[in-house]
Amino acid sequence: MAMREDYQALIDEVCALLGTPATLEARDFALIAFGAHEGDGEGDEPALDPVRRRSILGRRSSPEVREWFESFGITRATGPVRIDPEPSAGVEHGRICLPVRHRGVVHGYIWLMDDGALDLADPRLASAMAVASRIGTLLAAETQAETRTGDLLREALTEDDRGRAEESAAQLTELLGPAASGPLALLAVAPWPSGGASGDSAGSAPAAAPVLPHVMARCVLAARVPRPGPPAGSGPPAGSGPPAGSGPARAPDRQPVLAAVVRLRSAEVRAPARTAAEQLLRVPRSPAAAGISAPRRGLSGAATAWREALAAARAAGAEPERLGPVAEWEAIGPYRLLASLPADAAHDAAVAPLLQPAHRELARTAEVFLDHAGQAGRTAAALGIHRQTLYYRLSRIESLTGLGLDDGGARLLLHMTLKAARL
């Protein structure tokens, strides 16, 4: 598999050939490498137009820019294509696009900053296209290898036969090399979007995940996860307790979820996994959450790590302000247990009346009270109400549910049922 350094050397070769800044992007417009020339620096405006800056800093072009570029036929082109400026999309300067192909299939694009200085018949562009062909060969090989690692990862995480799952994990370890025997974590991003025009089209292929440092293998698979609730400010306040009217818990639909194996510096240093999760969460256009498993050495037991990552992602979606958007398995508290239960197992008839729309505020009060270990002063402060108001609400909760809040078992049942309703 090609290394990122190989692409950097090749894009630097293009810069040297043509004397202009160049950028290499994958077929989905994710940044792979960028190069400068001697004049590419402060005060050199063509090298720093908004699109190039966004591509370098954000690692991806915007949908509007992509649409503009593709309108010039770059997906079908076999030679250099001149791109006109479009200030409304942030394309302030012209470009030349060199399609990166292998055996007729486009795998990416080289972008040259150019406002008409280069003639498309310039022989140097023919030399640059030869470099593009070499890049295409590398990208095609990398795509094939990524497909294989993704298939093995999916089998290791979903195969019902434990022996076959472990066999797939062993093959994946061999394919990834020595680094796969070191400290790793499993990462889940749920739900992962489809690749349709809207980013959420039913039946479309899953959206491509960007290539990121430390991510050794990735795949998209189906799992039963609920969509995270609306962000703060849209609808009921975040942290306001279980959704009103949820009633008995319903098993969520199976949705695409991204699974990724992340290489850690050590079992104690989790930063690479959190960074990868934050970058991957930029892809979905609808609310999503990410979960990180406990670190382990190697891929043996990957299915267990996957369950941890998925539970953490569900917890992050259930309590976005406290746990999200990225949650680690060790930090999700009771959700470690609740996420493993069938949806209907978390329903309790005594608590059901509290989950009706008319009692949303009482449900929130009960959860905040129990989150604060039953301490009235802290609960009233968190809710912004007088203590007497709190005591009145608590009596209403007891009346609705028939559960005495001075009984430890009743409090545990109420607390766990409220948390389960979030999932």
Side-chain angles (χ1 to χ4, degrees), residues 18-82:
L18 301 170
T20 188
T23 303
L24 172 63
E25 293 182 341
R27 180 170 44 197
D28 64 350
F29 287 67
L31 179 68
I32 298 174
F34 65 92
H37 70 112
E38 291 182 358
D40 185 12
E42 213 172 304
D44 187 7
E45 288 302 322
L48 294 173
D49 85 340
V51 168
R52 186 166 193 260
R53 185 182 298 112
R54 187 186 303 115
S55 176
I56 292 172
L57 297 179
R59 314 300 295 183
R60 185 178 293 269
S61 294
S62 71
E64 294 76 19
V65 170
R66 177 173 179 167
E67 184 178 354
W68 175 250
F69 287 163
E70 289 182 341
S71 71
F72 287 85
I74 61 174
T75 59
R76 303 180 301 276
T78 57
V81 178
R82 188 174 297 284

Side-chain angles (χ1 to χ4, degrees), residues 341-361:
L341 297 176
D344 57 356
H347 171 62
D348 184 81
V351 184
L354 196 61
L355 298 176
Q356 298 306 309
H359 303 306
R360 177 183 293 275
E361 197 60 48

Side-chain angles (χ1 to χ4, degrees), residues 190-194 198-200 227-228 255 281 283-289:
W192 189 251
S194 65
S198 68
D200 194 29
R227 290 185 179 273
Q255 299 180 45
L281 281 173
V283 176
R285 299 186 192 179
S286 56

Side-chain angles (χ1 to χ4, degrees), residues 28-167:
D28 64 350
F29 287 67
L31 179 68
I32 298 174
F34 65 92
H37 70 112
E38 291 182 358
D40 185 12
E42 213 172 304
D44 187 7
E45 288 302 322
L48 294 173
D49 85 340
V51 168
R52 186 166 193 260
R53 185 182 298 112
R54 187 186 303 115
S55 176
I56 292 172
L57 297 179
R59 314 300 295 183
R60 185 178 293 269
S61 294
S62 71
E64 294 76 19
V65 170
R66 177 173 179 167
E67 184 178 354
W68 175 250
F69 287 163
E70 289 182 341
S71 71
F72 287 85
I74 61 174
T75 59
R76 303 180 301 276
T78 57
V81 178
R82 188 174 297 284
I83 306 293
D84 296 331
E86 175 54 47
S88 65
V91 186
E92 294 181 353
H93 299 279
R95 284 162 169 71
I96 293 176
C97 174
L98 306 183
V100 175
R101 291 182 174 274
H102 178 72
R103 294 182 177 176
V105 177
V106 64
H107 287 276
Y109 306 101
I110 295 174
W111 300 99
L112 309 173
M113 299 296 294
D114 178 78
D115 276 314
L118 274 172
D119 191 304
L120 293 187
D122 191 311
R124 292 177 299 167
L125 281 176
S127 299
M129 282 299 298
V131 178
S133 179
R134 287 155 57 195
I135 293 174
T137 300
L138 291 177
L139 283 173
E142 184 170 335
T143 298
Q144 185 176 14
E146 285 181 356
T147 299
R148 178 58 178 155
T149 58
D151 289 343
L152 287 171
L153 178 60
R154 188 179 296 105
E155 291 169 7
L157 301 184
T158 61
E159 180 59 64
D160 291 335
D161 184 324
R162 183 173 177 181
R164 291 182 62 180
E166 288 294 331
E167 182 182 344

